[in-house]
Amino acid sequence: SFGEFRAQLTRTGASTFEGTWNHGVTSRMTVTAFTKDQVVMQRSDTAGLVMIGGHYSGKRIGNRVPNGTARLSTGVVTSWEASW
């Protein structure tokens, strides 16, 4: 286990958000789908020691994704959650 990572995202464009994770890496998240049922985002790291990309998807329930799937460029598949 790698521990728990958190980032608070700030909107920087129509469908882009940026944030710095609690381990110091800065990421850009581009929302590619946001419907009443799902959220899909692409992650690209923009600064940090270890740069990772990934595909994040999850079922939307109200204003949250309680148990999404993240497929990272390292091959790791893990869960994620979000609320807004």
Side-chain angles (χ1 to χ4, degrees), residues 13-80:
S15 61
T16 57
F17 298 80
E18 291 187 4
T20 301
W21 298 88
N22 59 323
H23 54 63
V25 172
T26 300
S27 295
R28 176 175 294 124
M29 304 295 273
T30 302
V31 178
T32 58
F34 190 87
T35 69
K36 67 181 181 83
D37 297 322
Q38 74 169 344
V39 175
V40 179
M41 299 182 290
Q42 282 298 127
R43 168 183 169 184
S44 58
D45 290 351
T46 57
L49 292 176
V50 178
M51 307 283 273
I52 296 174
H55 178 83
Y56 290 63
S57 61
K59 180 177 178 162
R60 180 178 170 191
I61 300 174
N63 288 340
R64 64 191 187 101
V65 175
N67 189 24
T69 300
R71 299 180 189 285
L72 304 179
S73 58
T74 59
V76 171
V77 177
T78 188
S79 61
W80 66 278

